[in-house]
Amino acid sequence: MRVAILAHEGFPDRAKTAVGLLRYADDEVAAVLDRTRAGERVRDHVPDVQDAPIVEGIDDVETSIDALVVGIAPIGGGFDETWRPDVRGALERGADVVAGLHYFLGDDAEFADLAAEHDCEIRDLRRPPEDLTVSDGTASEVDAEVVLTVGTDCSSGKMTTTFELAEAAREWGVDAGVVPTGQTGIAIEGYGIAVDRVVSDFAAGAVERMVTERAADFDVLFVEGQGAVGHPAYSGVTTSILHGAMPDRLVLCHVAGRDAVHGYEHVSIPPPGEYAALYESLAEPVAPAEVVAGALNTQRLDEDAAAADAVEAYADAIDAPATDPVRFDASEILPAVLGEE
Amino acid sequence: MRVAILAHEGFPDRAKTAVGLLRYADDEVAAVLDRTRAGERVRDHVPDVQDAPIVEGIDDVETSIDALVVGIAPIGGGFDETWRPDVRGALERGADVVAGLHYFLGDDAEFADLAAEHDCEIRDLRRPPEDLTVSDGTASEVDAEVVLTVGTDCSSGKMTTTFELAEAAREWGVDAGVVPTGQTGIAIEGYGIAVDRVVSDFAAGAVERMVTERAADFDVLFVEGQGAVGHPAYSGVTTSILHGAMPDRLVLCHVAGRDAVHGYEHVSIPPPGEYAALYESLAEPVAPAEVVAGALNTQRLDEDAAAADAVEAYADAIDAPATDPVRFDASEILPAVLGEE
C-alpha cells in the first residue's frame, strides 16, 4: 500500500499516528500533509524512519496513492473542517480514507457519497464491532504469554514500546504478535479494536476477545495499553484493558521528567515505584501480574549519557530492568519481559 | 405517575429495577408483571415497600397507567422477545414505555411506529446524551460535598445505600441530592446517565458533568457507584466513576459472606479491608478519598443478631463505622459519611 498521511499543524510532535505509521507500518508513505511545514521533509524532524516529502495538501501529492490516512487525533477526536478539502480530494482521486477519529467519516454524507461515486472505502478505525459483549473473565486461560504495556500518562510510549518489544522478540526467534487497542496500532497492524470508543460495559470484553483470537496465532502477545490508571479522564479504559487482557506481566512506560498529567497539569503523576505498585494492586484481584520491566521515553534529554542515567534511576525506582526502547534497545529488557529472568 | 413494572420470571430477586422503584420512586405502582407469580402480591415477597398485585401480562393491568417500566435487566442488556406483547400492549393503551436495556426500544421499528401512532413516548434510560466529552478533571472544584458508594461486587447494595443515605441526610435537614449512574437510579430520579452505556473515553466526563450540574442544586451529593474495581468485566466503569466524580469520601458496600464475584465464581473477592485500601490507592493520584463508612447487605442472614455481628466484624475489617442501611439504619453511618466524625 502507498499512503499519504494528513497531519496538519501537528507533525511530528502532535501526530502520533503519523509517526507510528512512518516507523512501524509496512506501507510506503508518499507524503505527509502539514500545511505549516510544506516543503520540508519527514527526516528533517524524525531521523530514524522512512523519509517522505511534507506537502501543503492532497493536490500536492504527486504519486498515486491507495489511501489517505488521518494521522493526528485531536483531544476529543473531532473532525477539523479545514481537513475537508483533503479528504474530499483523496476520495475524488479514488483513494480510500482511513481515520481513527471519534467522528466517523463514513457517516459524513458528503464523504459517503464521494466514496460510493469513486468506488473507494472509508475505514473508521475507531468504529467498534457491533457484536461486542461483556467479558467472561477468561483471558488468563489462553495458551500465549500475555505482556501488557501500562503507563504513567497518555503519550508515554505504550504503543511504541509494544511494537519495539514485538520486533525485538521476533528478532530473537519468538513467535510474537501485537494486540492493538488504539487507532495508530490498528492502522499499523490492520487489526484491532479502539477500546476507548467501545461502550464501557463491553470494553474489557473487547480486549478479552482480541487476546483470545490472537493467542491462537502467536506464542507471546504484546497488548498495547491505553491511558493511565491515574489519568482523570482515561483511567476507565486503562482498567478495562488491564482486567480484560489478564496479562502475565506488565511493562511500565514513563516519560523522563514528566511529573504532571499531560493536559491536566493540576494532576500530579506519582513516583514510578508507587505507580508500579498501584498497577500491581489493581491487577491482583482479577489476575495478578507484576511490573517486570520499564520503558523510559528520554526524547527530551539531549545527551545519551543523561538519558542512560535517567534510565538507570528509573530502573532503581521501579526495581526492575529498564531501557528507552527507541533511543537504546528494547532487547535489553526482553529477558525480563519474557519471564526468562 | 402511575406505572406498571415488567419483571417476568425475575421478581423480586433478579428484578433490581422493579424493587428499586417500589422502594424509592414517587410513582404509584399499579401492578408488577411476572408471569411466574401471577395472582401473588408484591408484599408476599418484599414486605417493606408499597404493595401491588402481580399479574400475568399487560392486559391484566386493570387501572389506567402512565407508563410501563421494564424492571429487569438481563446480563448483556438484551431484549427478551417474550416481552414484546406487553410492550406492544402498553403502547396501544397510550402508555409510555421506559427501559434501561442496552437494546434501545426506541430503535425497534414496531415499537417506534406504535408510539407515534398512539402519541406516547419510549424512553431508553441507557441512551447517552450525544454531546458527551472527555473529563476535564474538575469535579473536585464543585461546592457540594461529594460521597461515592463503591462496592466489592456488582449487586452489592450501592444503589440502595445511595438512596438510603440521601433519605437519611434529608431527614437530618441536609440538602442532599443523588447522582444516578444506572438505569434504576435514573428511573427513580428522572435524571442521570447510564455510565456503563457511555463510550469509554467519555465515561468519566459523563460523571463529571452530572456532579457539576447537580452540585449547583444541593449541598451534599450521593453518587451511585457501579460494578467493582476488582470485577473482571465492569472495573472500567467503576474507575471512570471514581475519577470522574472526584469524591470527598467513599462508602464501601459489601454482601455479607460473598467471597467470589457474582457470575464469575473463579474470581475471588479480596477481604474488605484490602478492598477499601485498593479504592483509596486508586483515588489517590486523581483526588484522594478515604473509605469513611461501610454498608453491609445482610439479606441472606435470617437473624438480626447474626446480622449485627456481621456488621460489627465488617466495621472492624474496614476500620470504619458500618451498618446495613436496609435492615438497620443508614443514619448510623451518616456522621462519618458527612465528615462530621
Side-chain angles (χ1 to χ4, degrees):
Chain A
M1 285 248 299
R2 193 190 287 144
V3 303
I5 305 178
L6 185 154
H8 284 308
E9 298 169 28
F11 191 80
D13 291 342
R14 291 181 300 110
K16 203 162 95 168
T17 302
V19 175
L21 282 168
L22 286 159
R23 195 184 301 278
Y24 300 111
D26 296 329
D27 306 323
E28 180 192 337
V29 177
V32 169
L33 280 53
D34 184 342
R35 62 174 83 94
T36 60
R37 300 198 184 279
E40 302 174 19
R41 294 193 67 84
V42 164
R43 286 251 175 96
D44 298 338
H45 302 281
V46 191
D48 53 347
V49 301
Q50 61 172 305
D51 199 16
I54 304 180
V55 299
E56 176 92 20
I58 192 73
D59 295 337
D60 306 304
V61 178
E62 291 177 357
T63 59
S64 75
I65 53 168
D66 299 301
L68 172 69
V69 185
V70 177
I72 43 178
I75 283 195
F79 179 74
D80 185 326
E81 281 297 328
T82 69
W83 305 342
R84 186 168 289 273
D86 294 315
V87 174
R88 186 191 292 137
L91 294 168
E92 284 171 350
R93 294 164 73 133
D96 294 341
V97 171
V98 180
L101 304 172
H102 271 299
Y103 176 83
F104 294 146
L105 301 189
D107 294 343
D108 183 286
E110 182 187 12
F111 297 152
D113 288 349
L114 279 172
E117 188 181 334
H118 296 277
D119 195 25
C120 41
E121 199 186 344
I122 298 173
R123 269 177 289 147
D124 285 299
L125 301 178
R126 258 182 174 162
R127 195 192 292 272
E130 301 211 336
D131 58 345
L132 291 175
T133 59
V134 299
S135 155
D136 291 324
T138 53
S140 59
E141 295 168 15
V142 302
D143 279 336
E145 292 279 300
V146 178
V147 176
L148 172 66
T149 52
V150 292
T152 61
D153 196 358
C154 288
S155 303
S156 57
K158 293 178 289 295
M159 196 271 295
T160 298
T161 300
T162 303
F163 280 97
E164 293 286 348
L165 283 169
E167 281 194 4
R170 285 183 206 121
E171 279 167 24
W172 282 22
V174 175
D175 178 28
V178 168
V179 175
T181 57
Q183 65 270 23
T184 300
I186 299 169
I188 294 168
E189 283 285 300
Y191 170 89
I193 299 172
V195 178
D196 61 0
R197 191 62 178 73
V198 170
V199 162
S200 296
D201 242 7
F202 301 152
V207 177
E208 178 180 86
R209 175 193 292 199
M210 289 190 284
V211 166
T212 306
E213 280 176 4
R214 289 234 133 174
D217 296 330
F218 298 99
D219 292 339
V220 177
L221 293 180
F222 292 96
V223 180
E224 177 197 8
Q226 294 291 336
V229 78
H231 193 288
Y234 305 128
S235 56
V237 178
T238 310
T239 305
S240 296
I241 295 174
L242 179 65
H243 287 162
M246 296 183 149
D248 297 291
R249 287 177 286 280
L250 305 173
V251 177
L252 183 66
C253 303
H254 178 62
V255 179
R258 192 184 293 179
D259 53 13
V261 176
H262 179 68
Y264 298 78
E265 307 300 327
H266 61 295
V267 181
S268 299
I269 297 176
E274 282 179 33
Y275 225 119
L278 179 54
Y279 275 112
E280 291 172 356
S281 304
L282 188 60
E284 177 75 25
V286 176
E290 279 183 28
V291 172
V292 296
L296 189 71
N297 177 337
T298 63
Q299 203 174 4
R300 291 194 225 161
L301 301 175
D302 289 336
E303 304 295 329
D304 282 353
D309 287 348
V311 167
E312 195 179 324
Y314 181 59
D316 282 348
I318 63 170
D319 194 24
T323 188
D324 179 331
V326 173
R327 180 172 220 144
F328 302 122
D329 195 339
S331 66
E332 291 174 23
I333 58 172
L334 208 48
V337 166
L338 296 175
E340 292 168 5
E341 253 181 21
Chain B
M1 286 248 299
R2 193 189 287 142
V3 304
I5 305 177
L6 185 154
H8 284 308
E9 297 168 31
F11 190 81
D13 292 343
R14 291 184 299 110
K16 202 162 95 169
T17 302
V19 175
L21 283 168
L22 285 160
R23 195 184 299 279
Y24 301 112
D26 295 330
D27 305 324
E28 180 192 337
V29 177
V32 168
L33 280 54
D34 184 342
R35 62 174 84 93
T36 59
R37 298 198 185 281
E40 302 173 21
R41 295 194 65 85
V42 164
R43 286 252 175 95
D44 298 339
H45 301 283
V46 191
D48 53 347
V49 302
Q50 60 172 305
D51 199 17
I54 305 180
V55 300
E56 176 92 20
I58 191 73
D59 295 337
D60 306 304
V61 178
E62 291 177 358
T63 59
S64 76
I65 53 168
D66 299 303
L68 173 69
V69 184
V70 176
I72 43 179
I75 284 194
F79 179 73
D80 184 326
E81 282 296 327
T82 69
W83 305 342
R84 186 168 288 274
D86 294 314
V87 173
R88 186 191 293 137
L91 294 168
E92 284 171 349
R93 294 164 71 133
D96 294 342
V97 171
V98 180
L101 304 171
H102 272 298
Y103 176 83
F104 294 145
L105 300 190
D107 294 344
D108 182 285
E110 182 188 13
F111 297 153
D113 288 349
L114 279 172
E117 187 182 333
H118 296 277
D119 195 25
C120 42
E121 201 187 341
I122 298 172
R123 270 177 290 147
D124 285 299
L125 301 177
R126 256 181 175 164
R127 195 193 291 273
E130 301 210 335
D131 59 345
L132 290 174
T133 59
V134 299
S135 156
D136 291 324
T138 53
S140 59
E141 295 168 15
V142 302
D143 279 335
E145 293 279 301
V146 178
V147 176
L148 171 66
T149 51
V150 292
T152 61
D153 196 357
C154 288
S155 305
S156 57
K158 293 177 291 293
M159 196 270 296
T160 299
T161 301
T162 302
F163 280 97
E164 293 287 347
L165 282 169
E167 280 194 3
R170 284 184 206 119
E171 279 167 25
W172 282 22
V174 174
D175 179 27
V178 168
V179 175
T181 57
Q183 63 272 23
T184 300
I186 300 169
I188 294 169
E189 283 286 299
Y191 171 90
I193 299 172
V195 178
D196 61 0
R197 193 61 178 73
V198 170
V199 161
S200 295
D201 240 8
F202 300 151
V207 177
E208 177 179 270
R209 176 194 291 198
M210 289 191 284
V211 166
T212 306
E213 279 176 4
R214 289 235 134 172
D217 295 330
F218 298 100
D219 292 339
V220 176
L221 294 180
F222 291 96
V223 181
E224 176 197 8
Q226 293 291 337
V229 79
H231 193 288
Y234 305 128
S235 56
V237 178
T238 310
T239 305
S240 296
I241 295 175
L242 178 65
H243 288 161
M246 296 181 150
D248 297 292
R249 287 178 287 280
L250 305 173
V251 177
L252 184 66
C253 303
H254 178 61
V255 179
R258 191 184 293 178
D259 53 13
V261 176
H262 179 68
Y264 298 79
E265 308 301 328
H266 60 295
V267 181
S268 300
I269 296 176
E274 282 178 31
Y275 224 118
L278 179 54
Y279 276 112
E280 292 173 355
S281 303
L282 188 58
E284 176 75 24
V286 175
E290 279 183 28
V291 172
V292 297
L296 188 71
N297 178 338
T298 63
Q299 203 173 2
R300 290 194 225 163
L301 302 176
D302 288 335
E303 304 295 328
D304 282 354
D309 287 348
V311 166
E312 196 180 325
Y314 182 58
D316 283 347
I318 63 170
D319 194 23
T323 188
D324 179 332
V326 173
R327 179 173 220 142
F328 302 122
D329 194 339
S331 67
E332 291 174 23
I333 58 171
L334 208 48
V337 167
L338 296 175
E340 291 168 4
E341 253 180 21

